[in-house]
Amino acid sequence: VQLVESGGGVVQEGGSLRLSCAASGFTFEDYTIGWFRQAPGKEREGVSCISNSDGSTYYTESVKGRFTITSDNAKNTVYLQMDSLKPEDTAVYYCAASLGFTSTWYQIPGGYWAQGTQVTVSS
């Protein structure tokens, strides 16, 4: 099982980044996949996820209207388009997959996490 994420980096406030998460080793269509983030001194926060079985999506309130999550089942890859980025979006972003669709899908036992990618938004 592998989740390989890419696309982090440094961007100015108001800019955009796209994160990608390529999955292998499990049945992609059965899983909810998305990103949670953790900033220094703060708790983990579920940012967004998508159910690959029915396409349902979740966004935390602070990113609604700015972030868009999509899934390409043919490529076993999920994308998070992040627009209008703010300094408070700065964190390490982790791709996570699990069999449950909830706002805390990343905490469901038996799931998988990627290695994390740094997103830094400068003001």
Side-chain angles (χ1 to χ4, degrees):
V1 172
Q2 203 171 20
L3 293 174
V4 179
E5 62 180 322
S6 60
V10 180
V11 65
Q12 287 193 330
E13 184 174 7
S16 298
L17 286 173
R18 189 177 79 155
L19 304 183
S20 300
C21 181
S24 61
F26 59 87
T27 305
F28 187 78
E29 293 78 8
D30 289 344
Y31 279 73
T32 291
I33 300 178
W35 280 265
F36 69 94
R37 64 189 179 188
Q38 188 163 26
K42 294 189 176 181
E43 295 188 354
R44 293 177 189 141
E45 176 188 32
V47 176
S48 178
C49 66
I50 184 167
S51 166
N52 288 314
S53 62
D54 67 6
S56 298
T57 58
Y58 162 79
Y59 298 94
T60 193
E61 192 64 34
S62 64
V63 308
K64 286 181 180 177
R66 301 189 297 120
F67 291 10
T68 303
I69 192 166
T70 57
S71 181
D72 186 336
N73 284 21
K75 295 183 178 180
N76 281 11
T77 301
V78 175
Y79 304 95
L80 184 68
Q81 179 67 40
M82 304 186 294
D83 298 321
S84 302
L85 282 160
K86 303 176 180 180
E88 51 263 44
D89 294 317
T90 296
V92 178
Y93 284 67
Y94 297 87
C95 177
S98 76
L99 289 172
F101 181 75
T102 74
S103 61
T104 55
W105 81 98
Y106 52 97
Q107 294 180 338
I108 295 175
Y112 309 107
W113 292 7
Q115 75 280 6
T117 188
Q118 178 70 45
V119 171
T120 301
V121 184
S122 61
S123 57

